[in-house]
Amino acid sequence: MANARSPLERHAVSFADPRAVRELFERGYTVFERAYSTEEVDYFRDRLTRVYDEIGRPKLSANPPYQPTPDVEIGPAGIVFHKLTTHYPDMAARLYKRHIIDTIRGLLGDDMRLELPAGALSDSTRPFFDWHVHIGGVDDAYFDNKRVYTTFERSERVTVLLYLDDLTEENGRLLVYPRKLTDPTAPPYDVKREAWPGQIEIACPRGSMVVIEQCTWHAARQKRSPGVRGFIGSYFAAGFAETSPLADESLQGWSGDDELFRSILPRR
Ligand SMILES: [Fe+2]
């Protein structure tokens, strides 16, 4: 019986990683290395690359963006697969890990909710991905790069990245600029500059999950090797936060029975 336990009982035991919770507050990101097995990563990557094959492996950059098939979009940053759990219902039970979800709850509160899960593939045609933040659940292009940078006392949201390929020099590493939760949020340097003083380069193996607080500036280097690289990205928002305009409304209709996934769905 899915509703037999109250939310209080469900969260009575937390599997949060205290070090990771502390890192989210104090430096704005944390990394769970090899949180997913090779088999799990292959499962996600195969599904995304199969769709890419089915639509004829088109060029992985387009401006303006277009949709070769419903909920699949090719734009400047590669191909994005929206509404993952609607198109691939068997993904829901595999997408998240209890200790990572509980860690995010440690930052955002027990009533935090999943806003969207989406997959992405890109290749060497995508240039350096400029420094950006996800404040409000949108990237800076949404505001035509004229965002107002307020400060925060509480965390509203995190971006979560599950890497389906190794983050190496050749594949293009993730760059993160550490910050405390209450630090100023305006960019400290030019967002197009490819190296910021104080940046951290993240090089982790496939199957790692990186959690980034919404105000943490980050960028991604260009891939230098042939082939595609992939990740699955998600937004999680605190219960008090205004919902991202990009939120996946199809999550409201999810009717599977995975308890962890059910516990993070938006309230109806
Ligand atoms: Fe990002």
Side-chain angles (χ1 to χ4, degrees), residues 52-67:
Y52 179 48
D53 289 342
E54 283 165 6
I55 60 174
R57 301 182 74 85
K59 191 165 168 280
L60 273 185
S61 70
N63 205 358
Y66 71 100
Q67 291 202 352

Side-chain angles (χ1 to χ4, degrees), residues 9-250:
E9 288 170 314
R10 192 168 59 227
H11 305 316
V13 177
S14 173
F15 293 91
D17 177 338
R19 173 196 55 86
V21 175
R22 203 164 51 245
E23 287 176 351
L24 286 170
F25 278 105
E26 292 177 4
R27 61 178 205 185
Y29 74 98
T30 193
V31 182
F32 293 90
E33 280 211 5
R34 294 190 172 86
Y36 293 72
S37 69
T38 301
E39 293 72 27
E40 288 173 312
V41 175
D42 288 345
Y43 159 84
F44 289 118
R45 199 176 187 284
D46 288 350
R47 264 164 188 63
L48 301 187
T49 53
R50 200 183 308 157
V51 177
Y52 179 48
D53 289 342
E54 283 165 6
I55 60 174
R57 301 182 74 85
K59 191 165 168 280
L60 273 185
S61 70
N63 205 358
Y66 71 100
Q67 291 202 352
T69 187
D71 298 320
V72 174
E73 184 174 19
I74 299 181
I79 184 167
V80 180
F81 304 83
H82 299 284
K83 299 183 181 170
L84 280 185
T85 54
T86 296
H87 292 285
Y88 321 102
D90 55 339
M91 273 195 186
R94 307 179 194 219
L95 268 176
Y96 304 112
K97 302 287 183 186
R98 175 70 188 269
H99 68 292
I100 300 176
I101 291 297
D102 280 355
T103 297
I104 298 170
R105 285 179 172 135
L107 176 75
L108 298 177
D110 278 354
D111 58 348
M112 69 93 180
R113 290 292 180 266
L114 173 65
E115 290 186 311
L116 70 88
L121 297 174
S122 66
D123 62 15
S124 60
T125 61
R126 200 216 64 196
F128 179 77
F129 198 106
D130 293 347
W131 291 89
H132 63 285
V133 288
H134 294 272
I135 299 170
V138 290
D139 67 23
D140 307 278
Y142 184 84
F143 294 107
D144 200 20
N145 297 302
K146 294 184 179 67
R147 189 194 277 286
V148 176
Y149 292 104
T150 51
T151 54
F152 293 84
E153 295 297 319
R154 294 192 289 176
S155 178
E156 282 190 354
R157 181 178 285 95
V158 294
T159 306
V160 174
L161 301 164
L162 166 58
Y163 284 101
L164 307 180
D165 293 276
D166 294 338
L167 266 189
T168 58
E169 183 74 47
E170 304 74 45
N171 264 342
R173 288 179 178 151
L174 174 69
L175 307 178
V176 175
Y177 187 76
R179 66 180 293 284
K180 282 196 184 67
L181 179 59
T182 51
D183 280 352
T185 58
Y189 304 102
D190 180 352
V191 297
K192 293 189 180 303
R193 184 170 161 183
E194 295 203 10
W196 279 7
Q199 72 183 21
I200 302 290
E201 283 189 33
I202 297 183
C204 55
R206 67 201 295 264
S208 300
M209 192 166 246
V210 180
V211 183
I212 305 176
E213 209 279 332
Q214 70 164 6
C215 303
T216 300
W217 286 91
H218 57 286
R221 290 226 178 95
Q222 186 171 18
K223 181 172 165 60
R224 302 285 178 196
S225 50
V228 296
R229 65 176 171 197
F231 69 85
I232 291 179
S234 308
Y235 280 158
F236 288 94
F240 66 87
E242 208 166 298
T243 303
S244 164
L246 307 180
D248 176 353
E249 70 274 14
S250 76

